């Protein structure tokens, strides 16, 4: 049996649209074993217990690449990453399926080949890279081949995710984006990405909060996130060191220097119409873990 553990991830991190991603210490666990001529999927709603399941589709993508015949398969999913909330749940499913297939079917694909396949399935690399390699990653796609580099993050930096009880679709969130941006906005974001990465490494909270600003996506998308302004005000009034939309939302992420922040905002959040769950998180430095049981 193969066990694959995949971290959640937060993509974009303010100015780094479709580029930056960070792995978080919240995990989905997938197990794979051969099964007699049947597909069995456990641990997800009934509507996903079939051949359209993203974990299964990703598994089969690799099986086909390897030229292996899969007669039957049992997949168990232990899911802790909330679905459609901007915390990399679909990338976790893809990475789980891709790494599960390579391990169960005795594949010899390299880490980079597995990364390439996972990005091909997902369409962009910013959640896939941290889910595989851990830490903060910056990714590019050059001539259809993805590349990534990993940055350090200071130990004092913690995360407080506010996860609402409604979903948003990445497809809808991408449709709201402009097709062109001004030179000024491009410079605004490029400069901040460079400064943000070093500030995260040094734990420079002052520069983190300034360099997290963005002009390319958050302003357009916040219309999809109910109570965005109210939550932003609560967080900023209570000392958030950095506030940004996690991936395409709707989770709103805070960078904090102390988990006391969560106690400070708890009561204010209960006055809102939607339920916002508070999750305290740290960076995961390791990325995907493959175990043969
Ligand atoms: N970079 C992506 C976006 C992340 O913001 O649309 C979500 O998949």
């Amino acid at each position: 049996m193969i066990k694959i553990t995949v971290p959640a991830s937060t993509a974009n991190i303010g100015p780094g649209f479709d580029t930056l991603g960070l792995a978080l210490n919240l995990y989905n666990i997938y197990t794979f074993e051969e099964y007699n001529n049947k597909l069995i999927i456990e641990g997800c709603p009934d509507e996903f217990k079939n051949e359209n399941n993203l974990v299964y589709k990703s598994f089969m993508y690799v099986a086909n690449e390897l030229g292996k015949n899969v007669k039957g398969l049992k997949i168990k999913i232990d899911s802790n990453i909330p679905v459609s909330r901007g915390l990399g749940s679909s990338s976790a499913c893809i990475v789980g399926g891709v790494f599960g297939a390579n391990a169960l079917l005795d594949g010899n694909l390299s880490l980079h080949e597995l990364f390439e396949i996972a990005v091909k399935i997902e369409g962009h690399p910013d959640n896939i890279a941290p889910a595989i390699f851990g830490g903060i990653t910056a990714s590019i796609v050059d001539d259809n081949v993805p590349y990534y580099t990993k940055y350090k993050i200071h130990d004092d930096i913690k995360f407080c995710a506010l996860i609402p009880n409604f979903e948003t679709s990445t497809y809808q969130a991408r449709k709201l984006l402009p097709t062109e941006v001004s030179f000024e906005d491009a410079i605004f974001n490029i400069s901040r990405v460079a400064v943000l990465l070093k500030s995260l490494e040094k734990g420079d909270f002052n520069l983190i909060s300034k360099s997290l600003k963005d002009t390319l996506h958050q302003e357009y998308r916040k219309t999809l996130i109910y109570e965005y302004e109210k939550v932003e005000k609560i967080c900023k009034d209570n000392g958030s060191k950095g506030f940004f939309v996690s991936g395409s939302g709707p989770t709103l992420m805070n960078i904090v220097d102390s988990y006391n922040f969560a106690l400070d905002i708890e009561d204010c959040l209960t006055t809102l119409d939607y339920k916002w769950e508070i999750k305290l998180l740290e960076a995961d430095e390791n990325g995907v873990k493959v175990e043969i049981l």
Side-chain angles (χ1 to χ4, degrees):
M1 187 194 285
I2 301 296
K3 178 178 170 189
I4 311 288
T5 306
V6 192
S9 52
T10 181
N12 301 330
I13 319 183
F17 181 71
D18 272 1
T19 305
L20 300 183
L22 164 74
L24 296 162
N25 65 341
L26 176 69
Y27 303 92
N28 277 4
I29 298 168
Y30 307 93
T31 58
F32 300 86
E33 57 187 310
E34 282 169 27
Y35 206 80
N36 281 345
N37 296 318
K38 253 192 186 171
L39 171 64
I40 305 275
I41 304 178
E42 293 177 355
C44 63
D46 285 349
E47 60 187 296
F48 300 118
K49 290 179 179 172
N50 54 51
E51 294 187 349
N52 289 322
N53 182 291
L54 187 54
V55 182
Y56 176 71
K57 278 173 45 179
S58 307
F59 184 101
M60 289 309 295
Y61 191 107
V62 171
N64 290 335
E65 288 281 308
L66 294 171
K68 301 268 183 169
N69 195 8
V70 179
K71 293 213 182 76
L73 181 67
K74 183 171 176 180
I75 305 175
K76 268 196 201 169
I77 303 173
D78 176 5
S79 181
N80 297 295
I81 307 173
V83 175
S84 297
R85 297 297 200 287
L87 288 166
S89 65
S90 59
S91 286
C93 289
I94 293 168
V95 170
V98 165
F99 279 73
N102 192 50
L104 190 71
L105 305 175
D106 295 325
N108 52 1
L109 297 172
S110 68
L111 202 51
H112 195 272
E113 285 170 320
L114 294 169
F115 174 48
E116 210 173 320
I117 290 171
V119 172
K120 212 171 271 171
I121 299 170
E122 174 70 305
H124 36 85
D126 47 341
N127 285 104
I128 296 287
I132 294 179
F133 302 108
I136 300 185
T137 55
S139 309
I140 55 171
V141 179
D142 190 65
D143 279 341
N144 289 320
V145 180
Y147 300 89
Y148 81 101
T149 189
K150 201 169 157 176
Y151 289 84
K152 292 200 177 89
I153 180 159
H154 197 281
D155 283 345
D156 288 351
I157 295 175
K158 300 170 191 346
F159 297 87
C160 179
L162 304 179
I163 309 167
N165 60 350
F166 57 85
E167 300 180 3
T168 51
S169 113
T170 298
Y171 176 73
Q172 289 297 337
R174 290 183 86 84
K175 279 214 308 204
L176 290 179
L177 300 177
T179 49
E180 288 178 9
V181 298
S182 71
F183 207 63
E184 194 186 346
D185 283 353
I187 293 168
F188 187 100
N189 273 53
I190 292 168
S191 53
R192 276 168 180 74
V193 168
V195 173
L196 175 64
L197 288 169
K198 196 67 184 176
S199 313
L200 289 168
E201 184 186 315
K202 287 167 65 182
D204 183 335
F205 288 101
N206 182 40
L207 264 186
I208 287 171
S209 102
K210 295 192 185 307
S211 55
L212 267 177
K213 291 179 189 165
D214 146 74
T215 52
L216 298 186
H217 63 108
Q218 296 184 153
E219 208 45 41
Y220 304 100
R221 288 171 155 183
K222 65 185 195 190
T223 50
L224 292 178
I225 306 175
Y226 309 122
E227 299 184 314
Y228 177 98
E229 261 102 13
K230 287 183 185 167
V231 175
E232 182 181 35
K233 182 165 176 6
I234 290 170
C235 294
K236 291 195 169 164
D237 286 352
N238 283 284
S240 172
K241 306 289 181 200
F243 179 87
F244 61 94
V245 177
S246 184
S248 59
T251 291
L252 298 174
M253 189 67 83
N254 290 279
I255 291 181
V256 294
D257 56 1
S258 156
Y259 285 150
N260 287 339
F261 174 79
L263 301 174
D264 297 339
I265 61 169
E266 215 170 6
D267 284 348
C268 303
L269 289 179
T270 59
T271 64
L272 300 179
D273 292 335
Y274 291 87
K275 195 176 170 310
W276 292 81
E277 184 196 347
I278 301 177
K279 220 173 231 329
L280 301 174
L281 297 163
E282 285 176 24
D284 165 285
E285 284 298 333
N286 303 312
V288 63
K289 185 165 143 198
V290 178
E291 292 168 275
I292 300 167
L293 303 178

